[in-house]
Amino acid sequence: MAGNLENPQTLEKLEISDASVTKTQEQNVNPWSVSGEVTEDGKVKPIDYTKLVEQFGTKLIDDALLERFERVTGHKPHRFLRRQIVFSHRDLELILDRYEKKEPFFIYTGRGPSSDIMHIGHMVPFQLTKWLSDVFQVPLVVMMTDDEKYLISDLDREIDTYEHFARENAKDIIAVGFDPDRTFIFSDYDYMGGEFYKNVTRIAKRINRNTADACFGFNSGTNIGKVHFAAIQAASSFASSFPFMFGPDKIQTSKIPCIIPCAIDQDPYFRLTRDVASQLKYAKPSLIHARFLDALQGPGSKMSASIESSAIKCSDSPKTILSKVNQYAFSGGQATVEEHRAKGGNPEVDVSYQYLKFFLEDDTELEQIRQDYEEGKMLTGEIKKRCADELTKFCNAFQERRAKITDETLKAFSTPRPLICRGVQSDTILPTSGSNQAGSAEGPTGDPSSKSYAKKMEKLRAIEAKKAQKAAEREEKAKATTTINSTN
């Protein structure tokens, strides 16, 4: 998946202190770059997420949907959901329907490996994905789009570079804490082929150049690989691309949807995917969208691993984290201590507060920090210190887990195999109905551990046994006829 800022100059123009920002520009959010609106006085505004919901045609995640999520799953919504960091969706309610009915689905997310170490902004969708995996207890596929990153890179870059980045990033992702029994991580360069590639071509055949240009803003200078990649990213949305997971029965697997946690800039890919799914008669993917974690320079920007001063890397030491936060984190405070005590700070533009909003679990403490900062009780230096402490805690824990991830660990996660779905092996959920043969019956769906499912499976086995018995009788009769004829 995309999701990194590929052009360093874009972020440099967004730095609040950069005097070169003089021209007005509209906010721009797409899979390859993110920039906030620039006003006439050169100030960069925060990303307007309400405008993106209207532009992309998604739905806001409201209180009623969160209440239903908690009621159906029995889990309090993740802090990202509670704080509207994950704010938008497509058909989340349909995934909750399937969970409630014990019908199968899976989770799909991905990473575009543009460097050999991930930063804390990259961790946001993966923290959410791990939580969803633990709540839903369904299979998860993680796509490493090393091919895409090569296609959009400079001509002097080599494929080997991005394959290396993919392996290192995959280890970073594993270190988030994913369950190996439920998780398959794959590189496009390694996995492409078979049923996956068949779906790629089915999708590509149904997307014309005009549609791709309108969706992504391609032009005559766009290389054909970048245009074609939309079909590759879409293919992971369909269960039939992973026959080892739910089995090879295409009629059955075509009905199994996925839910995709991603940043809002990835939505154009999946709007197109959902359109193609209708044409293929495949289940449409559902999505939930996250906001961006601002670069250290402030609102309207996004962290970039290629710009050291913009990001907190997961590998940074406590000293480096504190230094970066103190030196680069945009402040919502006042110019002097006296003025700050009198007027208070603005947490909505303060980077340290925004990072705490993403990483501090305690809602009560977060609200107290907000109040104290707004009222001038907490100074800029104090909120920066609290932010650095929380990020250090996160990065230290990550680094301890990352140190234990070996090549063998990666190989185990990257091996195609049945995964665990709600306590049972995923390839046993759907019946082997022989769907490629005419007149084959559909098997039951639902919770394999339930009594009703067991009864349906028992009935199916009885039917199959009866068919086998009749086939054996026909074979015996044919043998007997052959013997009589040969005797005569």
Side-chain angles (χ1 to χ4, degrees):
M1 284 188 178
N4 302 306
L5 201 56
E6 291 304 319
N7 185 354
Q9 283 72 39
T10 302
L11 186 54
E12 288 169 0
K13 289 179 182 177
L14 293 176
E15 292 188 10
I16 302 304
S17 60
D18 193 336
S20 67
V21 179
T22 56
K23 295 182 179 179
T24 62
Q25 68 178 38
E26 292 292 321
Q27 117 175 338
N28 180 36
V29 174
N30 63 60
W32 304 283
S33 66
V34 174
S35 56
E37 178 186 349
V38 179
T39 61
E40 291 183 357
D41 58 0
K43 291 184 178 179
V44 182
K45 297 176 68 174
I47 300 296
D48 185 340
Y49 291 99
T50 302
K51 186 175 181 179
L52 285 179
V53 168
E54 295 171 357
Q55 179 185 340
F56 290 171
T58 65
K59 295 180 181 178
L60 288 171
I61 296 176
D62 57 20
D63 290 341
L65 188 56
L66 290 181
E67 288 170 6
R68 186 182 175 217
F69 189 103
E70 184 168 2
R71 185 172 67 253
V72 168
T73 66
H75 290 265
K76 178 182 177 181
H78 192 277
R79 65 179 182 275
F80 293 165
L81 288 162
R82 300 195 306 267
R83 298 169 188 172
Q84 297 183 322
I85 291 168
V86 175
F87 67 102
S88 168
H89 76 102
R90 293 185 186 274
D91 291 343
L92 174 57
E93 65 273 13
L94 298 185
I95 292 297
L96 294 178
D97 289 345
R98 292 188 73 87
Y99 183 83
E100 202 166 22
K101 296 174 183 175
K102 297 182 170 59
E103 294 174 345
F105 61 93
F106 67 104
I107 304 170
Y108 158 41
T109 194
R111 160 77 181 138
S114 57
S115 65
D116 60 357
I117 185 66
M118 294 168 68
H119 59 60
I120 61 172
H122 295 141
M123 290 290 114
V124 172
F126 290 106
Q127 283 185 287
L128 177 67
T129 299
K130 180 194 180 303
W131 182 80
L132 289 172
S133 176
D134 292 341
V135 168
F136 288 137
Q137 295 282 307
V138 296
L140 162 67
V141 296
V142 181
M143 182 185 205
M144 306 301 295
T145 60
D146 40 11
D147 52 344
E148 181 218 17
K149 289 303 173 187
Y150 171 71
L151 288 168
I152 66 176
S153 67
D154 295 333
L155 289 175
D156 61 348
R157 303 301 291 270
E158 296 295 332
I159 289 175
D160 291 352
T161 300
Y162 294 95
E163 289 183 307
H164 168 71
F165 289 166
R167 288 190 293 273
E168 294 306 305
N169 284 190
K171 291 177 181 178
D172 291 342
I173 291 165
I174 292 168
V176 173
F178 290 103
D179 188 329
D181 291 334
R182 293 197 305 269
T183 308
F184 173 58
I185 301 178
F186 68 98
S187 148
D188 283 352
Y189 279 129
D190 289 342
Y191 184 69
M192 189 80 70
E195 294 302 322
F196 187 93
Y197 188 65
K198 289 178 185 178
N199 271 340
V200 170
T201 56
R202 290 182 183 110
I203 296 161
K205 190 175 183 178
R206 288 163 173 80
I207 302 173
N208 61 43
R209 184 59 194 270
N210 286 339
T211 300
D213 289 354
C215 189
F216 298 106
F218 296 146
N219 55 44
S220 59
T222 304
N223 73 59
I224 60 174
K226 188 174 180 180
V227 175
H228 177 68
F229 180 75
I232 298 173
Q233 181 147 312
S236 291
S237 304
F238 305 129
S240 58
S241 295
F242 309 100
F244 59 85
M245 190 159 61
F246 291 110
D249 188 327
K250 296 185 185 66
I251 291 180
Q252 296 283 0
T253 57
S254 68
K255 302 172 187 175
I256 299 176
C258 71
I259 181 168
I260 306 172
C262 61
I264 188 66
D265 61 343
Q266 296 300 297
D267 187 74
Y269 278 118
F270 300 112
R271 290 205 305 275
L272 204 56
T273 303
R274 285 165 60 86
D275 289 342
V276 172
S278 297
Q279 298 175 48
L280 291 170
K281 295 181 170 51
Y282 287 175
K284 290 182 179 182
S286 298
L287 292 94
I288 50 176
H289 305 111
R291 297 170 182 258
F292 306 116
L293 186 66
D294 290 339
L296 285 161
Q297 284 69 31
S301 60
K302 191 175 73 166
M303 284 190 179
S304 172
S306 62
I307 303 176
E308 189 71 24
S309 63
S310 79
I312 302 294
K313 295 182 178 179
C314 294
S315 59
D316 281 346
S317 68
K319 183 178 178 180
T320 300
I321 292 170
L322 181 59
S323 175
K324 283 183 177 181
V325 171
N326 281 336
Q327 187 173 355
Y328 301 118
F330 183 76
S331 171
Q334 305 299 333
T336 65
V337 171
E338 293 75 17
E339 189 178 0
H340 185 85
R341 293 291 191 199
K343 298 179 179 179
N346 181 0
E348 297 309 311
V349 300
D350 189 277
V351 164
S352 295
Y353 176 78
Q354 292 302 316
Y355 287 7
L356 286 169
K357 193 172 180 180
F358 275 77
F359 288 93
L360 180 61
E361 179 63 35
D362 191 323
D363 291 338
T364 303
E365 183 184 358
L366 182 68
E367 175 58 19
Q368 189 63 56
I369 290 171
R370 187 192 66 79
Q371 288 182 17
D372 289 350
Y373 193 62
E374 276 189 338
E375 294 170 5
K377 296 177 182 177
M378 175 176 272
L379 299 176
T380 294
E382 293 171 331
I383 197 170
K384 284 190 172 188
K385 176 64 166 60
R386 183 65 187 88
C387 172
D389 288 346
E390 196 63 32
L391 297 183
T392 295
K393 177 182 172 184
F394 174 83
C395 290
N396 282 350
F398 168 83
Q399 290 163 22
E400 288 178 11
R401 296 190 300 268
R402 179 64 171 81
K404 299 175 184 176
I405 307 301
T406 64
D407 289 342
E408 287 302 310
T409 308
L410 177 58
K411 183 178 179 181
F413 274 86
S414 303
T415 300
R417 66 209 186 279
L419 301 173
I420 298 300
C421 182
R422 301 186 80 165
V424 299
Q425 195 165 289
S426 59
D427 63 346
T428 66
I429 291 176
L430 301 177
T432 53
S433 61
S435 61
N436 293 325
Q437 301 175 7
S440 63
E442 288 187 18
T445 59
D447 183 2
S449 63
S450 68
K451 291 182 179 179
S452 61
Y453 187 98
K455 288 180 180 178
K456 290 177 183 178
M457 286 300 297
E458 186 177 350
K459 186 177 179 180
L460 273 175
R461 283 193 289 268
I463 292 171
E464 293 299 323
K466 193 172 182 179
K467 287 181 181 178
Q469 183 181 357
K470 287 183 178 180
E473 289 173 355
R474 285 196 298 269
E475 187 177 350
E476 287 298 321
K477 187 175 181 180
K479 286 181 181 179
T481 301
T482 302
T483 302
I484 292 171
N485 289 338
S486 63
T487 302
N488 292 336

